[in-house]
Amino acid sequence: MFTPPSSNMNFPAPLAVMGFLAAAAGTVLALAAAAIAWFARKPKFARACLLIVSAGAALYVGLLLGFSLASHPQVLTRNQEKYFCEIDCHLAYSLLDVKTEPAAGSTHYLVTIRTRFDETTTSPSRPKDATLTPSPRTILLIDVAGHEYLPVATQGTPLLTHLKPSDSYTTRLAFDVPPDAKSLRLLITTTPAWPDRIVIGDENSLLHRKTYFAL
């Protein structure tokens, strides 16, 4: 199995997805069984179902927090890649170039990133012309004080452009940053959405540390 050098997950993505789906389905079924048992005047069975739900929830939360607390911030250098794993880890992003220009009251940063579909992560049965559309990404510059700066302009290929295996494209993003901002890092992450916050090992999950690019 392909193991990316760095990714948005520190837990195998297929197991994380299956774990979330199993936990959600198990919770719904157990609560439904408890409700039915309660109305059928079988309180012992209802309490057993609730106990199972509680134990399962405690286990899931323990794993969620455990993998988040076990994570650590990573800072990648230029041309190193960060893989994104939804289920398979197909897409890799890298920082190719950074330019700065003086601007009125700020520094204008021009950051070029590459999006690449790693063909070595596909199965032999996958059609070579089957495309993949990236999930929405949030891209920020973050300074040492934690201040975040969104892009003010984008040039090149849009980040949601679909790719075929081995395809890649570049996108240039412009940022206006105060001149006194120090130790800037670039963060590329999946735009947080349900259920990322409660998927084990996901970079967007509770208390999980991020993987950045050094400028």
mmCIF file of all heavy atoms in Angstrom, residues 75-114:
data_model
loop_
_atom_site.group_PDB
_atom_site.id
_atom_site.type_symbol
_atom_site.label_atom_id
_atom_site.label_comp_id
_atom_site.label_asym_id
_atom_site.label_seq_id
_atom_site.Cartn_x
_atom_site.Cartn_y
_atom_site.Cartn_z
ATOM 1 N N VAL A 75 6.307 21.214 8.837
ATOM 2 C CA VAL A 75 6.579 22.315 7.914
ATOM 3 C C VAL A 75 7.404 21.744 6.768
ATOM 4 O O VAL A 75 8.547 21.306 6.969
ATOM 5 C CB VAL A 75 7.324 23.467 8.612
ATOM 6 C CG1 VAL A 75 7.570 24.599 7.619
ATOM 7 C CG2 VAL A 75 6.517 23.979 9.807
ATOM 8 N N LEU A 76 6.814 21.730 5.589
ATOM 9 C CA LEU A 76 7.465 21.172 4.409
ATOM 10 C C LEU A 76 8.276 22.249 3.698
ATOM 11 O O LEU A 76 7.917 23.427 3.706
ATOM 12 C CB LEU A 76 6.424 20.590 3.454
ATOM 13 C CG LEU A 76 5.460 19.558 4.048
ATOM 14 C CD1 LEU A 76 4.489 19.064 2.982
ATOM 15 C CD2 LEU A 76 6.220 18.390 4.658
ATOM 16 N N THR A 77 9.349 21.831 3.072
ATOM 17 C CA THR A 77 10.160 22.748 2.286
ATOM 18 C C THR A 77 9.627 22.827 0.862
ATOM 19 O O THR A 77 8.730 22.064 0.476
ATOM 20 C CB THR A 77 11.629 22.301 2.268
ATOM 21 O OG1 THR A 77 11.691 20.985 1.698
ATOM 22 C CG2 THR A 77 12.187 22.264 3.672
ATOM 23 N N ARG A 78 10.177 23.745 0.100
ATOM 24 C CA ARG A 78 9.720 23.940 -1.269
ATOM 25 C C ARG A 78 9.913 22.664 -2.081
ATOM 26 O O ARG A 78 10.922 21.977 -1.962
ATOM 27 C CB ARG A 78 10.484 25.110 -1.907
ATOM 28 C CG ARG A 78 9.760 25.727 -3.075
ATOM 29 C CD ARG A 78 10.354 27.075 -3.410
ATOM 30 N NE ARG A 78 10.236 28.018 -2.293
ATOM 31 C CZ ARG A 78 10.599 29.284 -2.354
ATOM 32 N NH1 ARG A 78 11.120 29.771 -3.466
ATOM 33 N NH2 ARG A 78 10.452 30.074 -1.302
ATOM 34 N N ASN A 79 8.909 22.329 -2.866
ATOM 35 C CA ASN A 79 8.859 21.145 -3.740
ATOM 36 C C ASN A 79 8.540 19.844 -3.005
ATOM 37 O O ASN A 79 8.312 18.821 -3.653
ATOM 38 C CB ASN A 79 10.156 20.975 -4.547
ATOM 39 C CG ASN A 79 10.350 22.086 -5.563
ATOM 40 O OD1 ASN A 79 9.420 22.446 -6.278
ATOM 41 N ND2 ASN A 79 11.548 22.657 -5.614
ATOM 42 N N GLN A 80 8.540 19.833 -1.669
ATOM 43 C CA GLN A 80 7.984 18.669 -0.974
ATOM 44 C C GLN A 80 6.476 18.654 -1.180
ATOM 45 O O GLN A 80 5.846 19.705 -1.387
ATOM 46 C CB GLN A 80 8.303 18.729 0.517
ATOM 47 C CG GLN A 80 9.716 18.345 0.865
ATOM 48 C CD GLN A 80 9.907 18.211 2.365
ATOM 49 O OE1 GLN A 80 9.778 19.193 3.101
ATOM 50 N NE2 GLN A 80 10.220 17.012 2.825
ATOM 51 N N GLU A 81 5.899 17.466 -1.108
ATOM 52 C CA GLU A 81 4.479 17.338 -1.419
ATOM 53 C C GLU A 81 3.657 16.960 -0.186
ATOM 54 O O GLU A 81 4.107 16.197 0.662
ATOM 55 C CB GLU A 81 4.265 16.285 -2.518
ATOM 56 C CG GLU A 81 4.793 16.724 -3.869
ATOM 57 C CD GLU A 81 4.513 15.714 -4.953
ATOM 58 O OE1 GLU A 81 4.817 14.519 -4.738
ATOM 59 O OE2 GLU A 81 3.995 16.103 -6.016
ATOM 60 N N LYS A 82 2.461 17.508 -0.156
ATOM 61 C CA LYS A 82 1.468 17.156 0.855
ATOM 62 C C LYS A 82 0.318 16.456 0.134
ATOM 63 O O LYS A 82 -0.326 17.041 -0.738
ATOM 64 C CB LYS A 82 0.958 18.402 1.569
ATOM 65 C CG LYS A 82 -0.154 18.136 2.586
ATOM 66 C CD LYS A 82 -0.612 19.435 3.237
ATOM 67 C CE LYS A 82 -1.737 19.210 4.238
ATOM 68 N NZ LYS A 82 -2.172 20.487 4.880
ATOM 69 N N TYR A 83 0.084 15.205 0.503
ATOM 70 C CA TYR A 83 -0.984 14.418 -0.121
ATOM 71 C C TYR A 83 -2.300 14.644 0.622
ATOM 72 O O TYR A 83 -2.317 14.840 1.839
ATOM 73 C CB TYR A 83 -0.636 12.936 -0.096
ATOM 74 C CG TYR A 83 0.343 12.518 -1.159
ATOM 75 C CD1 TYR A 83 1.705 12.803 -1.033
ATOM 76 C CD2 TYR A 83 -0.072 11.841 -2.296
ATOM 77 C CE1 TYR A 83 2.617 12.430 -2.004
ATOM 78 C CE2 TYR A 83 0.832 11.454 -3.277
ATOM 79 C CZ TYR A 83 2.172 11.755 -3.126
ATOM 80 O OH TYR A 83 3.066 11.384 -4.096
ATOM 81 N N PHE A 84 -3.386 14.583 -0.134
ATOM 82 C CA PHE A 84 -4.717 14.690 0.452
ATOM 83 C C PHE A 84 -5.441 13.366 0.252
ATOM 84 O O PHE A 84 -5.553 12.868 -0.865
ATOM 85 C CB PHE A 84 -5.504 15.844 -0.168
ATOM 86 C CG PHE A 84 -5.145 17.176 0.428
ATOM 87 C CD1 PHE A 84 -3.972 17.810 0.056
ATOM 88 C CD2 PHE A 84 -5.946 17.766 1.394
ATOM 89 C CE1 PHE A 84 -3.615 19.029 0.625
ATOM 90 C CE2 PHE A 84 -5.597 18.976 1.970
ATOM 91 C CZ PHE A 84 -4.426 19.606 1.578
ATOM 92 N N CYS A 85 -5.886 12.806 1.378
ATOM 93 C CA CYS A 85 -6.536 11.500 1.376
ATOM 94 C C CYS A 85 -8.005 11.676 1.732
ATOM 95 O O CYS A 85 -8.324 12.006 2.873
ATOM 96 C CB CYS A 85 -5.872 10.569 2.389
ATOM 97 S SG CYS A 85 -4.077 10.413 2.191
ATOM 98 N N GLU A 86 -8.878 11.526 0.744
ATOM 99 C CA GLU A 86 -10.297 11.421 1.056
ATOM 100 C C GLU A 86 -10.581 9.958 1.416
ATOM 101 O O GLU A 86 -10.837 9.636 2.546
ATOM 102 C CB GLU A 86 -11.150 11.902 -0.116
ATOM 103 C CG GLU A 86 -11.389 13.419 -0.128
ATOM 104 C CD GLU A 86 -10.231 14.220 -0.731
ATOM 105 O OE1 GLU A 86 -9.512 13.651 -1.585
ATOM 106 O OE2 GLU A 86 -10.049 15.387 -0.357
ATOM 107 N N ILE A 87 -10.446 9.069 0.443
ATOM 108 C CA ILE A 87 -10.336 7.633 0.727
ATOM 109 C C ILE A 87 -8.984 7.156 0.209
ATOM 110 O O ILE A 87 -8.205 6.545 0.919
ATOM 111 C CB ILE A 87 -11.500 6.840 0.097
ATOM 112 C CG1 ILE A 87 -12.826 7.239 0.768
ATOM 113 C CG2 ILE A 87 -11.264 5.334 0.263
ATOM 114 C CD1 ILE A 87 -14.026 6.508 0.234
ATOM 115 N N ASP A 88 -8.703 7.466 -1.057
ATOM 116 C CA ASP A 88 -7.378 7.194 -1.614
ATOM 117 C C ASP A 88 -6.575 8.492 -1.632
ATOM 118 O O ASP A 88 -7.132 9.579 -1.791
ATOM 119 C CB ASP A 88 -7.500 6.644 -3.041
ATOM 120 C CG ASP A 88 -8.214 5.295 -3.064
ATOM 121 O OD1 ASP A 88 -7.793 4.407 -2.333
ATOM 122 O OD2 ASP A 88 -9.193 5.162 -3.830
ATOM 123 N N CYS A 89 -5.265 8.359 -1.510
ATOM 124 C CA CYS A 89 -4.396 9.537 -1.440
ATOM 125 C C CYS A 89 -3.854 9.868 -2.833
ATOM 126 O O CYS A 89 -2.679 9.662 -3.125
ATOM 127 C CB CYS A 89 -3.250 9.286 -0.463
ATOM 128 S SG CYS A 89 -3.793 8.800 1.189
ATOM 129 N N HIS A 90 -4.728 10.400 -3.678
ATOM 130 C CA HIS A 90 -4.352 10.624 -5.072
ATOM 131 C C HIS A 90 -3.680 11.969 -5.320
ATOM 132 O O HIS A 90 -2.773 12.057 -6.139
ATOM 133 C CB HIS A 90 -5.594 10.554 -5.967
ATOM 134 C CG HIS A 90 -6.190 9.187 -6.093
ATOM 135 N ND1 HIS A 90 -5.433 8.044 -6.181
ATOM 136 C CD2 HIS A 90 -7.491 8.782 -6.170
ATOM 137 C CE1 HIS A 90 -6.235 6.984 -6.296
ATOM 138 N NE2 HIS A 90 -7.482 7.410 -6.290
ATOM 139 N N LEU A 91 -4.148 13.016 -4.655
ATOM 140 C CA LEU A 91 -3.720 14.372 -5.002
ATOM 141 C C LEU A 91 -2.591 14.851 -4.096
ATOM 142 O O LEU A 91 -2.653 14.704 -2.875
ATOM 143 C CB LEU A 91 -4.896 15.342 -4.911
ATOM 144 C CG LEU A 91 -6.020 15.109 -5.921
ATOM 145 C CD1 LEU A 91 -7.092 16.178 -5.777
ATOM 146 C CD2 LEU A 91 -5.490 15.100 -7.348
ATOM 147 N N ALA A 92 -1.567 15.434 -4.724
ATOM 148 C CA ALA A 92 -0.427 15.968 -3.990
ATOM 149 C C ALA A 92 -0.250 17.439 -4.363
ATOM 150 O O ALA A 92 -0.349 17.815 -5.534
ATOM 151 C CB ALA A 92 0.847 15.195 -4.331
ATOM 152 N N TYR A 93 0.018 18.251 -3.333
ATOM 153 C CA TYR A 93 0.219 19.685 -3.529
ATOM 154 C C TYR A 93 1.638 20.043 -3.103
ATOM 155 O O TYR A 93 2.165 19.504 -2.130
ATOM 156 C CB TYR A 93 -0.779 20.493 -2.696
ATOM 157 C CG TYR A 93 -2.213 20.371 -3.169
ATOM 158 C CD1 TYR A 93 -2.951 19.220 -2.901
ATOM 159 C CD2 TYR A 93 -2.812 21.396 -3.885
ATOM 160 C CE1 TYR A 93 -4.261 19.096 -3.343
ATOM 161 C CE2 TYR A 93 -4.131 21.286 -4.324
ATOM 162 C CZ TYR A 93 -4.848 20.136 -4.048
ATOM 163 O OH TYR A 93 -6.145 20.016 -4.486
ATOM 164 N N SER A 94 2.231 20.973 -3.826
ATOM 165 C CA SER A 94 3.566 21.434 -3.466
ATOM 166 C C SER A 94 3.686 22.924 -3.731
ATOM 167 O O SER A 94 2.949 23.495 -4.547
ATOM 168 C CB SER A 94 4.642 20.666 -4.244
ATOM 169 O OG SER A 94 4.417 20.768 -5.643
ATOM 170 N N LEU A 95 4.604 23.549 -3.016
ATOM 171 C CA LEU A 95 4.896 24.969 -3.193
ATOM 172 C C LEU A 95 6.084 25.091 -4.138
ATOM 173 O O LEU A 95 7.173 24.585 -3.852
ATOM 174 C CB LEU A 95 5.224 25.597 -1.830
ATOM 175 C CG LEU A 95 5.705 27.045 -1.830
ATOM 176 C CD1 LEU A 95 4.664 27.979 -2.414
ATOM 177 C CD2 LEU A 95 6.078 27.468 -0.416
ATOM 178 N N LEU A 96 5.871 25.754 -5.273
ATOM 179 C CA LEU A 96 6.912 25.838 -6.287
ATOM 180 C C LEU A 96 7.715 27.130 -6.237
ATOM 181 O O LEU A 96 8.931 27.124 -6.454
ATOM 182 C CB LEU A 96 6.298 25.703 -7.688
ATOM 183 C CG LEU A 96 5.573 24.397 -8.020
ATOM 184 C CD1 LEU A 96 5.112 24.417 -9.469
ATOM 185 C CD2 LEU A 96 6.455 23.188 -7.756
ATOM 186 N N ASP A 97 7.051 28.235 -5.945
ATOM 187 C CA ASP A 97 7.748 29.509 -6.063
ATOM 188 C C ASP A 97 7.064 30.563 -5.193
ATOM 189 O O ASP A 97 5.836 30.518 -5.004
ATOM 190 C CB ASP A 97 7.755 29.973 -7.527
ATOM 191 C CG ASP A 97 8.602 31.204 -7.736
ATOM 192 O OD1 ASP A 97 9.772 31.206 -7.327
ATOM 193 O OD2 ASP A 97 8.078 32.200 -8.288
ATOM 194 N N VAL A 98 7.853 31.487 -4.674
ATOM 195 C CA VAL A 98 7.343 32.613 -3.885
ATOM 196 C C VAL A 98 8.060 33.877 -4.337
ATOM 197 O O VAL A 98 9.298 33.907 -4.399
ATOM 198 C CB VAL A 98 7.562 32.409 -2.374
ATOM 199 C CG1 VAL A 98 7.034 33.609 -1.598
ATOM 200 C CG2 VAL A 98 6.901 31.124 -1.898
ATOM 201 N N LYS A 99 7.289 34.883 -4.668
ATOM 202 C CA LYS A 99 7.855 36.185 -5.015
ATOM 203 C C LYS A 99 7.201 37.248 -4.141
ATOM 204 O O LYS A 99 6.041 37.090 -3.732
ATOM 205 C CB LYS A 99 7.625 36.516 -6.492
ATOM 206 C CG LYS A 99 8.427 35.664 -7.468
ATOM 207 C CD LYS A 99 8.188 36.123 -8.896
ATOM 208 C CE LYS A 99 9.160 35.461 -9.862
ATOM 209 N NZ LYS A 99 9.016 34.001 -9.911
ATOM 210 N N THR A 100 7.936 38.298 -3.855
ATOM 211 C CA THR A 100 7.380 39.400 -3.077
ATOM 212 C C THR A 100 7.533 40.703 -3.844
ATOM 213 O O THR A 100 8.499 40.886 -4.599
ATOM 214 C CB THR A 100 8.072 39.528 -1.709
ATOM 215 O OG1 THR A 100 9.472 39.763 -1.906
ATOM 216 C CG2 THR A 100 7.872 38.273 -0.879
ATOM 217 N N GLU A 101 6.561 41.580 -3.638
ATOM 218 C CA GLU A 101 6.583 42.901 -4.247
ATOM 219 C C GLU A 101 6.144 43.910 -3.191
ATOM 220 O O GLU A 101 5.208 43.645 -2.432
ATOM 221 C CB GLU A 101 5.622 42.981 -5.441
ATOM 222 C CG GLU A 101 5.923 41.998 -6.556
ATOM 223 C CD GLU A 101 4.842 42.009 -7.625
ATOM 224 O OE1 GLU A 101 3.767 42.603 -7.370
ATOM 225 O OE2 GLU A 101 5.072 41.431 -8.708
ATOM 226 N N PRO A 102 6.814 45.059 -3.123
ATOM 227 C CA PRO A 102 6.352 46.082 -2.177
ATOM 228 C C PRO A 102 5.020 46.654 -2.619
ATOM 229 O O PRO A 102 4.740 46.786 -3.805
ATOM 230 C CB PRO A 102 7.458 47.136 -2.245
ATOM 231 C CG PRO A 102 8.092 46.946 -3.589
ATOM 232 C CD PRO A 102 7.996 45.480 -3.889
ATOM 233 N N ALA A 103 4.167 46.952 -1.651
ATOM 234 C CA ALA A 103 2.865 47.556 -1.916
ATOM 235 C C ALA A 103 2.587 48.581 -0.828
ATOM 236 O O ALA A 103 3.272 48.614 0.201
ATOM 237 C CB ALA A 103 1.768 46.494 -1.953
ATOM 238 N N ALA A 104 1.596 49.417 -1.064
ATOM 239 C CA ALA A 104 1.279 50.476 -0.099
ATOM 240 C C ALA A 104 0.814 49.867 1.211
ATOM 241 O O ALA A 104 -0.255 49.260 1.287
ATOM 242 C CB ALA A 104 0.200 51.390 -0.677
ATOM 243 N N GLY A 105 1.639 50.001 2.247
ATOM 244 C CA GLY A 105 1.272 49.535 3.573
ATOM 245 C C GLY A 105 1.289 48.038 3.755
ATOM 246 O O GLY A 105 0.826 47.535 4.788
ATOM 247 N N SER A 106 1.833 47.301 2.785
ATOM 248 C CA SER A 106 1.843 45.836 2.913
ATOM 249 C C SER A 106 2.921 45.267 2.008
ATOM 250 O O SER A 106 3.564 45.980 1.237
ATOM 251 C CB SER A 106 0.479 45.250 2.545
ATOM 252 O OG SER A 106 0.209 45.456 1.169
ATOM 253 N N THR A 107 3.110 43.959 2.130
ATOM 254 C CA THR A 107 3.980 43.223 1.202
ATOM 255 C C THR A 107 3.094 42.308 0.361
ATOM 256 O O THR A 107 2.253 41.584 0.903
ATOM 257 C CB THR A 107 5.020 42.385 1.966
ATOM 258 O OG1 THR A 107 5.808 43.259 2.783
ATOM 259 C CG2 THR A 107 5.926 41.648 1.000
ATOM 260 N N HIS A 108 3.278 42.367 -0.936
ATOM 261 C CA HIS A 108 2.466 41.579 -1.866
ATOM 262 C C HIS A 108 3.215 40.281 -2.174
ATOM 263 O O HIS A 108 4.313 40.301 -2.720
ATOM 264 C CB HIS A 108 2.239 42.383 -3.149
ATOM 265 C CG HIS A 108 1.209 41.814 -4.057
ATOM 266 N ND1 HIS A 108 -0.138 41.731 -3.724
ATOM 267 C CD2 HIS A 108 1.319 41.283 -5.308
ATOM 268 C CE1 HIS A 108 -0.800 41.199 -4.732
ATOM 269 N NE2 HIS A 108 0.056 40.914 -5.694
ATOM 270 N N TYR A 109 2.641 39.166 -1.764
ATOM 271 C CA TYR A 109 3.230 37.851 -2.007
ATOM 272 C C TYR A 109 2.547 37.180 -3.189
ATOM 273 O O TYR A 109 1.311 37.164 -3.269
ATOM 274 C CB TYR A 109 3.079 36.954 -0.781
ATOM 275 C CG TYR A 109 4.071 37.224 0.322
ATOM 276 C CD1 TYR A 109 3.869 38.261 1.231
ATOM 277 C CD2 TYR A 109 5.218 36.439 0.458
ATOM 278 C CE1 TYR A 109 4.788 38.514 2.249
ATOM 279 C CE2 TYR A 109 6.135 36.687 1.471
ATOM 280 C CZ TYR A 109 5.912 37.720 2.360
ATOM 281 O OH TYR A 109 6.819 37.967 3.352
ATOM 282 N N LEU A 110 3.353 36.620 -4.085
ATOM 283 C CA LEU A 110 2.860 35.812 -5.195
ATOM 284 C C LEU A 110 3.347 34.385 -4.979
ATOM 285 O O LEU A 110 4.554 34.118 -5.044
ATOM 286 C CB LEU A 110 3.360 36.359 -6.537
ATOM 287 C CG LEU A 110 2.851 37.752 -6.906
ATOM 288 C CD1 LEU A 110 3.555 38.263 -8.161
ATOM 289 C CD2 LEU A 110 1.342 37.735 -7.111
ATOM 290 N N VAL A 111 2.424 33.500 -4.695
ATOM 291 C CA VAL A 111 2.747 32.122 -4.309
ATOM 292 C C VAL A 111 2.234 31.178 -5.394
ATOM 293 O O VAL A 111 1.052 31.192 -5.733
ATOM 294 C CB VAL A 111 2.098 31.770 -2.953
ATOM 295 C CG1 VAL A 111 2.363 30.322 -2.593
ATOM 296 C CG2 VAL A 111 2.619 32.702 -1.858
ATOM 297 N N THR A 112 3.127 30.368 -5.941
ATOM 298 C CA THR A 112 2.744 29.409 -6.983
ATOM 299 C C THR A 112 2.740 28.008 -6.396
ATOM 300 O O THR A 112 3.744 27.558 -5.827
ATOM 301 C CB THR A 112 3.714 29.460 -8.168
ATOM 302 O OG1 THR A 112 3.746 30.794 -8.699
ATOM 303 C CG2 THR A 112 3.279 28.503 -9.266
ATOM 304 N N ILE A 113 1.613 27.323 -6.526
ATOM 305 C CA ILE A 113 1.499 25.949 -6.034
ATOM 306 C C ILE A 113 1.162 25.013 -7.194
ATOM 307 O O ILE A 113 0.624 25.440 -8.217
ATOM 308 C CB ILE A 113 0.432 25.815 -4.923
ATOM 309 C CG1 ILE A 113 -0.960 26.150 -5.464
ATOM 310 C CG2 ILE A 113 0.781 26.696 -3.735
ATOM 311 C CD1 ILE A 113 -2.060 25.876 -4.463
ATOM 312 N N ARG A 114 1.516 23.767 -7.025
ATOM 313 C CA ARG A 114 1.209 22.746 -8.037
ATOM 314 C C ARG A 114 0.252 21.722 -7.448
ATOM 315 O O ARG A 114 0.416 21.285 -6.303
ATOM 316 C CB ARG A 114 2.484 22.041 -8.504
ATOM 317 C CG ARG A 114 2.213 20.962 -9.570
ATOM 318 C CD ARG A 114 3.481 20.273 -10.019
ATOM 319 N NE ARG A 114 4.072 19.476 -8.941
ATOM 320 C CZ ARG A 114 5.136 18.697 -9.103
ATOM 321 N NH1 ARG A 114 5.757 18.638 -10.269
ATOM 322 N NH2 ARG A 114 5.606 17.997 -8.088
#
